[in-house]
Amino acid sequence: TNMDLHTGAGNASITFPASVVSTTARIDHGTGNLDLNIPDDVAASIKVSSGFGTIDVDKRFVKQGDNMYVSQGYDKAPHKLELTVNSGAGNVNIR
């Protein structure tokens, strides 16, 4: 139900399971590209920041303020993920 991940240097790719009920995840990523895959049936609330690099978030997550993205219907979704991502340098791609 909870994930706390700290990476150093290098690329990382993470796929979250479709069976999440209410999961909280925090990712602190040093340098390199970070690819995060959220299944279509999982609603998400995403807070993401990057020191140097781009942040690319799938259009199914609606931007709400600075670096905050939320799925439509998040509050009532049966499968949801609360995700916080901090990246030092590199691109962050959320699909």
Side-chain angles (χ1 to χ4, degrees), residues 16-76:
F16 292 94
S19 61
V20 301
V21 176
S22 183
T23 299
T24 301
R26 178 181 175 90
I27 301 170
D28 292 311
H29 184 67
T31 59
N33 296 322
L34 178 61
D35 294 316
L36 302 174
N37 301 296
I38 301 170
D40 290 335
D41 293 339
V42 175
S45 170
I46 305 164
K47 184 175 182 181
V48 60
S49 63
S50 177
F52 297 101
T54 62
I55 298 171
D56 185 26
V57 179
D58 190 281
K59 64 182 176 182
R60 71 184 163 120
F61 305 108
V62 179
K63 188 169 185 176
Q64 295 186 346
D66 290 337
N67 302 322
M68 186 71 179
Y69 301 83
V70 180
S71 300
Q72 290 184 339
Y74 173 79
D75 291 333
K76 295 182 181 182

Side-chain angles (χ1 to χ4, degrees), residues 5-13 27-34 86-90:
L5 177 67
H6 301 271
T7 66
N11 298 330
S13 179
I27 301 170
D28 292 311
H29 184 67
T31 59
N33 296 322
L34 178 61
N86 296 304
S87 178

